Amino acid sequence: MILFPKLGLLALITAACAHKRGESRASTFAGSTSTFQFPPPGLDTSVPDPDFPGPSAVGNAGPTPTGDEAFAVETAPAVPVIENESPVVRPDTSDRKGRKFDVIRSWGSLSPMFSLDRGTFGLPDASPLVPNGCTLKAVHILHRHGARYPTLSDTGPSSFAAKINSAAAGAGFTATGPLAFLDTWILKLGAEILTPFGRQQLYELGVNTRIRYGDLLKEAMGLPVWRTTSQERMVDSALQFAAGFFGVQEFSTSYHQLIEIESSGFNSTLAAYDVCPNSNNAIGNFGHTQAAKWASIYTAPIIKRLQPHINGVNLTAVDIVAMQETCAYESVALGFSSFCDLFTESEWGSFEYFFDLKFWYGNGPGNPTAAAQGIGYVSEVISRLTQTRIANFDTSVNSTIVSSDVTFPFGQPIFVDATHDTIISSVLVALNLTGLASSGPLPTNRIKSNRQWVTSHIVPFATNLVAQALSCPAPSNSHRPSSSPSPSGPTTHVRWILNDAVVPLTGVEGCPSNRDGLCDLPTYVDGTQRRIAEVDYRFDCFSSYSIPVPDDILDGRFPPALRNNATAPVGHVGARR
């Protein structure tokens, strides 16, 4: 469907030719929005179609013997680096630094996932490869959906397009120089669902996971149960992952897909904000408030540089952020965006920091609801590691799901849960991975260098957080050699890996410093259970309070010392299903 039906091809050609001749003429359709749906409405797309029988009906598949399972984390000399950008065109910067500086990795949570360097979180000797003397027993994978169009709350690109379109409909709108493309620019972004590149990301993540961990399937006692939520991009991400992991013809019969309802009033640790009221008010939006302070500073010189090239539109800080967001969204949706090379390397660094502030103070260590939103998933991980049913339902945990051997089985060698960036951010805080907060709190008037909280590292599109459960005869302080792994045994150690960088567990009470990021299982479970006990879900999500000024919170909880100034929790907290 085209939302500018009266616009003819001749008008497009005329406007384009005017630009080529250097004439100062703008189209009247600049900033319009276009969409297209395939298959077109009204077609019979029923399956199976008797005219086109499927592979089982046709037969004659030829030889189909399978090989043995891969287990790259135990058998390969190195883990392959993920640089999942193609088919997105790598843009340049306005100061021509694009060859050495990768703009794509400065889009915060809108960046595609890429493998982090080993020492990103302070463990330069650690790798996703199984440490010396250990055997991998199970993995717990929490991943984000793939690249998507803007959500309905991501109004930057659409609001900027509407502003341009309103100006183009009147008199006096022109755009020249670096902004000349705006004269004929049309917004082609949809909303909410995965882009083609986003589908590719999750398919490739599934393939990558099978290569790394496929041998663990030999320990499976039945079909695995993997979870996602009911939003379309979430279901599509989960299915794409499964297709990559099991194969497009086999995946539907190779596992069970549990879909948790994502809607207000339904408990789900994968969408905990729906049952945490304070995450949806000024407390939850504090990250936007803090990021806006920085935006008003870093965009000022950009406005001064770009404003002379556009008439009929007064550029604001909100517009500049929207233009940078549009660069990211158009790139992951269309493969390229003319907005990208409007900005310098330094200005993209400022945009990255804008996202760092938004997540730090919105869903990270600096927000008092963050730990509460993530603690339900942490409880589920401990439940799986100890094979003990959850008995306390005062968080976002869904009692119906986790109390069932069918929907929440123990003993799986591979657990996979799909969720959102805000939830993964909150889970990292709930896990008490304090190394990520070691450089905080983040100032809003300047970029804090050498910070650990970098959003493109933590929650990019298709980000994945992995807990490895290992059997190790003793704490390991050396690399795994190329020799065969040791015989299998019970799970003795745990460690966490975020986008291929091992995260130290020194924030978990009792876990010692370890070069491989390992903590013995009893100590890890005890320390994490203490963390679960200290997070007051009812207070942080339901009480009426104001965020302290200055906000020096580092652990994602409202400071207990300030609770006398808060109003008691209101509303219902319980085992909603």
Side-chain angles (χ1 to χ4, degrees):
M1 179 179 65
I2 307 299
L3 300 187
F4 42 95
K6 296 183 179 180
L7 173 63
L9 178 62
L10 180 59
L12 283 167
I13 295 174
T14 300
C17 290
H19 275 295
K20 192 172 183 180
R21 293 192 301 267
E23 297 175 11
S24 140
R25 178 187 302 174
S27 70
T28 58
F29 58 81
S32 299
T33 301
S34 68
T35 63
F36 174 73
Q37 179 181 338
F38 188 87
L43 289 184
D44 183 4
T45 56
S46 57
V47 177
D49 187 323
D51 294 325
F52 300 95
S56 60
V58 173
N60 296 286
T64 58
T66 60
D68 200 357
E69 288 292 344
F71 207 16
V73 293
E74 283 202 353
T75 60
V79 172
V81 175
I82 299 174
E83 295 180 330
N84 196 7
E85 296 179 358
S86 176
V88 177
V89 176
R90 178 170 171 169
D92 200 355
T93 63
S94 66
D95 51 352
R96 302 297 180 259
K97 299 291 183 64
R99 289 188 177 182
K100 295 183 178 181
F101 171 73
D102 192 347
V103 174
I104 296 175
R105 297 187 180 185
S106 294
W107 294 340
S109 64
L110 307 183
S111 291
M113 177 266 168
F114 56 92
S115 292
L116 300 175
D117 294 336
R118 282 189 175 192
T120 299
F121 302 119
L123 294 175
D125 297 321
S127 108
L129 296 178
V130 175
N132 180 39
C134 299
T135 300
L136 188 64
K137 301 295 294 181
V139 289
H140 303 252
I141 301 172
L142 182 67
H143 70 79
R144 187 190 178 194
H145 57 74
R148 56 162 171 77
Y149 296 111
T151 62
L152 295 180
S153 61
D154 296 336
T155 59
S158 59
S159 295
F160 181 71
K163 187 172 184 176
I164 294 298
N165 189 236
S166 177
F173 171 69
T174 59
T176 61
L179 297 181
F181 71 93
L182 288 176
D183 279 353
T184 55
W185 171 64
I186 298 168
L187 185 66
K188 298 182 178 181
L189 301 177
E192 304 277 348
I193 63 175
L194 294 182
T195 67
F197 174 59
R199 298 196 296 268
Q200 172 188 304
Q201 282 186 291
L202 266 296
Y203 182 87
E204 291 184 350
L205 182 60
V207 173
N208 185 287
T209 302
R210 184 65 175 263
I211 295 295
R212 294 191 185 197
Y213 302 119
D215 200 67
L216 291 174
L217 289 175
K218 295 176 180 178
E219 305 300 320
M221 303 301 292
L223 296 184
V225 175
W226 294 348
R227 299 186 303 169
T228 189
T229 75
S230 58
Q231 287 194 351
E232 181 158 333
R233 68 178 177 276
M234 298 301 305
V235 175
D236 283 348
S237 292
L239 297 181
Q240 290 287 347
F241 181 97
F245 188 90
F246 293 112
V248 293
Q249 293 193 60
E250 294 84 7
F251 81 94
S252 62
T253 57
S254 298
Y255 82 119
H256 297 298
Q257 185 65 65
L258 178 66
I259 303 174
E260 298 185 358
I261 296 175
E262 181 171 348
S263 184
S264 178
F266 290 88
N267 274 29
S268 171
T269 59
L270 306 177
Y273 36 72
D274 281 328
V275 287
C276 181
N278 282 342
S279 71
N280 300 297
N281 58 25
I283 297 171
N285 290 326
F286 191 58
H288 294 274
T289 301
Q290 297 294 81
K293 295 177 182 177
W294 170 240
S296 67
I297 295 173
Y298 90 82
T299 61
I302 303 176
I303 294 172
K304 184 177 181 179
R305 185 180 76 248
L306 294 181
Q307 187 63 67
H309 296 287
I310 188 168
N311 294 318
V313 173
N314 291 321
L315 295 176
T316 66
V318 172
D319 294 332
I320 299 302
V321 172
M323 293 165 76
Q324 291 183 294
E325 289 176 337
T326 304
C327 158
Y329 279 123
E330 287 189 337
S331 293
V332 299
L334 310 173
F336 172 77
S337 173
S338 296
F339 286 92
C340 293
D341 61 3
L342 292 176
F343 307 100
T344 66
E345 176 183 0
S346 175
E347 290 161 356
W348 280 117
S350 294
F351 181 68
E352 169 85 90
Y353 193 65
F354 172 87
F355 271 90
D356 298 345
L357 290 168
K358 186 163 71 169
F359 273 82
W360 175 276
Y361 290 106
N363 301 94
N367 190 278
T369 70
Q373 290 188 69
I375 207 65
Y377 180 81
V378 175
S379 299
E380 291 175 339
V381 170
I382 295 300
S383 174
R384 289 167 170 172
L385 286 171
T386 61
Q387 300 194 24
T388 303
R389 290 288 165 198
I390 296 173
N392 185 340
F393 299 107
D394 289 339
T395 68
S396 59
V397 169
N398 187 300
S399 63
T400 302
I401 289 173
V402 302
S403 299
S404 168
D405 293 332
V406 174
T407 54
F408 197 81
F410 294 144
Q412 286 186 182
I414 303 175
F415 295 90
V416 182
D417 295 316
T419 187
H420 300 273
D421 50 359
T422 55
I423 297 300
I424 293 179
S425 179
S426 297
V427 166
L428 290 167
V429 176
L431 286 168
N432 217 25
L433 301 179
T434 55
L436 299 176
S438 60
S439 56
L442 302 184
T444 59
N445 61 349
R446 59 181 176 84
I447 296 177
K448 189 162 193 174
S449 59
N450 300 320
R451 64 194 182 280
Q452 291 283 21
W453 191 265
V454 180
T455 316
S456 61
H457 294 175
I458 296 171
V459 287
F461 286 132
T463 193
N464 55 97
L465 176 65
V466 181
Q468 290 183 343
L470 306 112
S471 176
C472 307
S476 172
N477 283 298
S478 60
H479 293 302
R480 179 191 62 83
S482 58
S483 58
S484 299
S486 60
S488 179
T491 296
T492 61
H493 289 77
V494 177
R495 65 177 184 164
W496 286 93
I497 302 169
L498 178 59
N499 296 330
D500 287 345
V502 181
V503 186
L505 299 179
T506 49
V508 180
E509 185 175 345
C511 288
S513 177
N514 180 276
R515 66 183 293 174
D516 290 308
L518 291 168
C519 184
D520 68 273
L521 182 62
T523 301
Y524 179 78
V525 169
D526 182 67
T528 303
Q529 286 176 335
R530 290 173 184 268
R531 173 62 167 170
I532 293 170
E534 78 175 9
V535 174
D536 191 336
Y537 180 89
R538 180 175 176 81
F539 185 94
D540 291 347
C541 280
F542 286 82
S543 292
S544 177
Y545 55 80
S546 298
I547 293 179
V549 180
D551 180 0
D552 293 328
I553 299 172
L554 297 176
D555 64 351
R557 299 188 302 144
F558 187 78
L562 301 180
R563 290 192 176 187
N564 291 336
N565 299 323
T567 303
V570 294
H572 173 72
V573 181
R576 282 164 291 185
R577 294 162 170 82

